[in-house]
Amino acid sequence: MSLILTELQQNIINAYQKGFPLVARPYQVLAEQFNSSEAQVLAAIRQLDEAGALSRVGAVFNHKKAGASTLAALAVPAAELDRVAEIVNQFDEVNHNYEREHSYNLWFVVTAYDENALAQVLTKISELTGLPVLKLPMEAAYHIDLAFSINFATPSFSTSTAHAQISQGH
Amino acid sequence: MCNYTCPPKAKLTELERQYVLLTQSGLPIVAQPYHFIAERLHISVADVLAMTKDLKARGVIRRIAAVPNHYKLGYRYNGMTVWDVQDEHVQAFGQAVGRLPFVSHCYLRPRHLPRWNYNLFAMVHGKTAEQVQQYRIQIKDLLENVLQLRNDDIDQARSYQSNDILISTEILKKTGLRLKR
C-alpha cells in the first residue's frame, strides 16, 4: 500500500528527520517555516503517525551512551531459522531483528542497561540457540544524523536520476 | 528558574534515566510535548528543555526528530553493505561514505578473523532491488583503492572478499530503544 502525502507532510518529514527545534512549542516554529499554522502542522503529523509513516516522533538516543549496545549476528541453518528467531525475539533487549541473505542470516541489535547486562544477554542467546554470536559493537559512527532524504517520486531505475532527486531533498 | 545542572560524567543521573524511560518510545504529538515530561518528572518545562539540551550536548540524544518508517514510505529494500577497508584509510573513507545521500548509517565495527573480515558498514535504502545494487556500486567506486587485498593470508578453507551486501529479506522484530527499569 502506498501513501499519498501532502506537500506539507513531505516537507515535515524531510526537514525534521534531522531534528525539531528544541523549544516548548516546536510545532509553532515548524508552522512559521512552512507558512502554515501550528494546528495544521500537528494535524499533518498526527495523520502521518496514524498512517504508519512515522516510527515515532521524539528523541533518537545514542544506544551506546544511554546504555550499552551492540549489533550481533548468527549463522543459522535454514531449517532452524524460525525456532532461533523466536528465541532471539523473546528478549526485551533485542530491538531490531532482520533476516538477511548471507551465511550470517540473522542480524539483531541488543541494548541493555550496562555492558555487564549486555554480555549476559548475549551469553544467554548463545546458550539457548546453541550458536556462537558474532559481536559487532559500533567503534565509530561516520554519519551521526541517521537521516536521509526521502525521494517521494516514483521508483527510478536510473541511478543518476534517483541520486539527483534525493540530493534536491536537502 | 532553571535548576538543572550538568552532571560531570557521561553516566546518566536517576532523573535522566527516568527521562529516557519516559521518552524512548516517542513524545506525544501535542502542541507542548515537553509539558508532558515535566508533569511526569515533577520538574519545570524549562528544566526539561535544559536537560534535553544537555543530553544532546553530551551525545546521549542524537536528535529530537520525526523518525520515518522507511518501509511504509516505499523504501522496501534495505541493504547492509559491508567493506574490508584498510585500517589507515577507514576514517577518511568512512566519512565520505557517510556523506552519500542514500546512506542512512555508516559505522566502523571490529573484524573477527577468520569468520568476519569486514570493518565498515553502510546501510543503503532503495525502492527497488536494482537501486540498492546501484548504490553498492557507487560505494565500491569510492572505496576501490582502499579495499584490503588479503592475498597473503587466504587459507584453503576460506577466501576473503573485499565487500559484500546483505539484503534484508524479512523484518522479524523492530522496536525503539527499550531500557528496563
Side-chain angles (χ1 to χ4, degrees), chain A residues 7 14 24 39 69 78 90 105 140 149:
Chain A
E7 196 185 334
N14 268 336
S69 175
Q90 78 188 10
N105 51 355
S149 296

Side-chain angles (χ1 to χ4, degrees), chain A residues 11-165:
Chain A
N11 285 340
I12 289 169
I13 289 182
N14 268 336
Y16 289 96
Q17 290 185 75
K18 293 198 174 181
F20 282 113
L22 187 49
V23 294
R25 300 188 79 119
Y27 301 107
Q28 183 95 60
V29 178
L30 267 67
E32 280 162 25
Q33 190 174 337
F34 298 128
N35 288 321
S36 183
S37 71
E38 186 184 43
Q40 280 175 320
V41 169
L42 268 169
I45 293 181
R46 281 206 190 102
Q47 201 187 12
L48 283 173
D49 190 48
E50 280 158 19
L54 298 178
S55 296
R56 81 199 127 95
V57 176
V60 176
F61 290 97
N62 178 340
H63 293 193
K64 261 228 135 68
K65 291 194 175 174
S69 175
T70 190
L71 176 68
L74 291 170
V76 187
E80 288 186 53
L81 196 63
D82 286 347
R83 179 186 73 85
V84 171
E86 202 174 312
I87 292 171
V88 172
N89 282 350
Q90 78 188 10
F91 287 87
D92 284 340
E93 291 87 351
V94 171
N95 43 28
H96 285 72
N97 189 10
Y98 282 86
E99 182 185 344
R100 293 188 182 278
E101 288 172 352
H102 193 269
S103 56
Y104 281 103
N105 51 355
L106 205 61
W107 289 80
F108 48 97
V109 174
V110 186
T111 304
Y113 176 57
D114 60 18
E115 291 293 340
N116 221 348
L118 180 65
Q120 279 177 22
V121 172
L122 292 169
T123 303
K124 192 94 192 176
I125 288 174
S126 189
E127 280 171 10
L128 289 173
T129 60
L131 299 165
V133 179
L134 186 67
K135 294 165 203 163
L136 299 162
M138 182 190 91
E139 293 180 334
Y142 299 121
H143 192 246
I144 51 167
D145 273 339
L146 298 179
F148 73 107
S149 296
I150 307 289
N151 167 18
F152 290 101
T154 47
S156 166
F157 289 84
S158 152
T159 319
S160 54
T161 313
H163 188 114
Q165 283 167 343

